[in-house]
């Protein structure tokens, strides 16, 4: 796996000398890893799926009289399962998924989310988990999701979660496209770099990001399908994945 030192050297080697700043590049490298893990949108509309090595889980506790709790601070994307203290699945709103908040409110008995009782439905909005109903006393809910990558700081650190085969190339090209993109429309004071140079360089590296992301998507596999409703029993909806 490429280290921070190797990624930094590769960027410096490919970047115009006047644009290189070690502190700025370090920030951009960590931002690139975070953005790649969050999902890259390709020109054809596809979004790269979660990285398998970033699979994570945690526990949140319901509060007294409230229908919302913060997700773990490590949460980044694709919450795909919620379980109650009995290890039974708490499903998303019927007909939707864990991100169908409007459907969640429509399926709730009280639109102000004030229903009390056992938790029978959950949904994500932002970095919060909403649930219905509200238990009379706090209960733990298990949540399963894909976490944020751990930032790199030491020169020997490696990009968290990105497959070894793609880590160097995708991070390097992402950072280079980012730097040249920030300078679009600018021109070096000494007129050594034209605006066209920035545009061409950005497009070159952005295209490489898309190509590498497409290869990586085939390597890690597509995301799991959307949940399908298959049974209803005593107010609970159960789902399986295609």
């Amino acid at each position: 796996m490429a280290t921070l030192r190797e990624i930094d050297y590769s960027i410096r080697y490919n970047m115009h000398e006047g644009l290189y700043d070690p502190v700025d590049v370090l920030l951009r490298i960590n931002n690139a890893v975070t953005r790649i893990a969050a999902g890259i949108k390709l020109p054809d509309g596809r979004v790269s799926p979660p990285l398998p090595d970033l699979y994570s889980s945690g526990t949140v506790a319901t509060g007294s009289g409230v229908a919302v709790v913060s997700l773990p601070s490590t949460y980044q994307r694709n919450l795909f399962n919620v379980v109650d203290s009995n290890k039974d699945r708490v499903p998303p709103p019927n007909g939707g998924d864990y991100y169908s908040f409007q459907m969640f409110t429509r399926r709730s008995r009280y639109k102000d989310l004030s229903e009390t009782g056992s938790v029978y439905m959950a949904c994500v909005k932002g970095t919060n988990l909403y649930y219905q109903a509200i238990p009379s006393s706090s209960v733990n809910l298990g949540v399963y999701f894909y976490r944020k990558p751990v930032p790199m700081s030491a020169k020997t650190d490696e990009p968290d979660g990105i497959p070894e085969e793609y880590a160097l190339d995708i991070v390097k090209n992402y950072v280079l496209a980012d730097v040249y993109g920030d300078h679009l429309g600018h021109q070096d004071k000494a007129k050594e770099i034209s605006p066209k140079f920035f545009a061409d360089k950005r497009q070159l590296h952005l295209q490489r990001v898309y190509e590498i992301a497409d290869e990586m998507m085939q390597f890690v596999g597509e995301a799991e399908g959307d949940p399908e409703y298959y049974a209803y029993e005593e107010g609970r909806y159960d789902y399986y994945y295609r």
Side-chain angles (χ1 to χ4, degrees):
M1 172 83 75
T3 64
L4 176 59
R5 178 187 290 110
E6 292 166 338
I7 295 170
D8 178 73
Y9 176 80
S10 182
I11 292 169
R12 183 185 301 199
Y13 180 81
N14 282 272
M15 187 183 294
H16 190 279
E17 184 178 356
L19 301 178
Y20 180 80
D21 179 294
V23 175
D24 178 62
V25 167
L26 174 60
L27 292 172
R28 290 179 189 266
I29 288 174
N30 279 316
N31 179 64
V33 175
T34 300
R35 293 289 298 274
I36 292 165
I40 295 176
K41 186 173 183 179
L42 274 62
D44 62 8
R46 289 179 299 152
V47 177
S48 59
L51 300 173
D53 286 346
L54 297 181
Y55 162 79
S56 188
S57 62
T59 302
V60 297
T62 63
S64 176
V66 295
V68 59
V69 62
S70 296
L71 285 164
S73 60
T74 55
Y75 162 81
Q76 185 183 48
R77 66 183 293 194
N78 288 60
L79 179 105
F80 61 88
N81 201 15
V82 179
V83 298
D84 62 22
S85 56
N86 295 318
K87 308 303 180 184
D88 292 326
R89 187 167 189 256
V90 178
N94 181 30
D97 58 27
Y98 283 118
Y99 294 87
S100 304
F101 187 74
Q102 290 187 14
M103 189 170 291
F104 172 81
T105 59
R106 289 199 297 269
R107 299 297 186 193
S108 299
R109 182 177 180 185
Y110 303 127
K111 304 313 174 187
D112 62 355
L113 307 181
S114 63
E115 182 181 359
T116 58
S118 299
V119 177
Y120 63 86
M121 178 174 62
C123 188
V124 173
K125 185 173 177 61
T127 57
N128 296 314
L129 181 73
Y130 285 79
Y131 50 86
Q132 283 291 275
I134 303 172
S136 57
S137 59
S138 180
V139 299
N140 290 331
L141 299 176
V143 289
Y144 299 81
F145 55 88
Y146 290 86
R147 62 174 174 81
K148 301 171 185 175
V150 177
M152 293 179 284
S153 56
K155 291 297 184 181
T156 55
D157 287 347
E158 301 173 346
D160 187 23
I162 301 179
E164 179 179 356
E165 295 84 351
Y166 307 99
L168 174 62
D169 287 340
I170 196 167
V171 175
K172 173 189 72 178
N173 282 284
Y174 192 104
V175 171
L176 289 168
D178 193 38
V179 171
Y180 289 121
D182 278 356
H183 287 81
L184 286 176
H186 296 180
Q187 184 163 334
D188 185 86
K189 292 181 179 179
K191 297 185 179 180
E192 296 175 355
I193 310 178
S194 69
K196 186 177 184 301
F197 171 86
F198 292 120
D200 289 346
K201 283 287 190 179
R202 177 182 180 274
Q203 186 56 42
L204 171 68
H205 293 294
L206 196 58
Q207 185 59 40
R208 282 295 295 143
V209 169
Y210 293 149
E211 291 171 356
I212 299 165
D214 182 64
E215 292 178 16
M216 190 170 68
M217 288 171 68
Q218 297 177 51
F219 178 81
V220 303
E222 297 292 338
E224 293 181 280
D226 295 329
E228 286 188 344
Y229 164 71
Y230 78 94
Y232 170 86
E233 181 180 358
E234 297 181 357
R236 294 182 63 93
Y237 293 90
D238 294 313
Y239 295 78
Y240 70 93
Y241 280 86
R242 285 194 290 264

